[in-house]
Amino acid sequence: MFAVAFDLDGTLARSTGPADAVALGFVADIGLDPPRSAAAQELEPAPGALRVVRELEALGVPLAALAAGPAEDARRRAELVWFRGPVVTGEFPGGVPEAAAFAEICARFGLPAECVWYVTARSEADARAAWAAGLQAVLVDPAGPEPAPDDRGLRRAKTLEGVLELLRAPYTRSVLNIRYLLRTVLEWN
């Protein structure tokens, strides 16, 4: 069994720029939530994010997102890019998640760190921090080298859709292991 955690800001969601002040004024005048409206104008799903998330959901792969900041704000940002999984928030001193945030992701899944894949497009430092915490790390980097693990275990994908290709082998192994376990249990009974 394995699970996938995405960096929310920069990987699943990307900024479109500041919100339109006139539109925010109109929203406030009609009684809607201005902070939610501002966030909706400033965020959009990253290219390929919806396809990747929906394909992993269809396969039954447990998903989560990691975000900085207050939990309510992070959940709001996840909803705005149609992410339905749990959102784990953590401290990001210097922009890089701390090991405690990765430990919380593993606890949320109930899996050991080596069974959790962390996908980020934000920075190599994010991916290295996940790898240092024991997770399988994937950096989405269109300008980076070919998608192969480097000498320290960091994997790279040119696009977010390329992550699906990297996950194909672990997913197949996971399904075969479950099938073997089920067959063995049924034979014992």
Side-chain angles (χ1 to χ4, degrees), residues 7 9 92 95-97 102 118 120 122-131 137:
D7 166 51
D9 303 309
F92 289 61
V96 177
F102 296 118
Y118 179 70
T120 183
R122 229 165 27 136
S123 72
E124 186 169 327
D126 277 11
R128 295 274 177 218
W131 184 83

Side-chain angles (χ1 to χ4, degrees), residues 133-150:
L135 283 70
Q136 305 293 321
V138 179
L139 176 63
V140 178
D141 182 9
E146 286 302 309
D150 66 12

Side-chain angles (χ1 to χ4, degrees), residues 41-75:
Q41 289 184 44
E42 295 172 356
L43 283 179
E44 68 181 11
L50 291 176
R51 177 178 169 258
V52 169
V53 168
R54 295 302 178 255
E55 284 194 31
L56 290 172
E57 286 174 343
L59 293 171
V61 175
L63 301 176
L66 177 63
E72 187 57 38
D73 290 346
R75 276 192 286 283

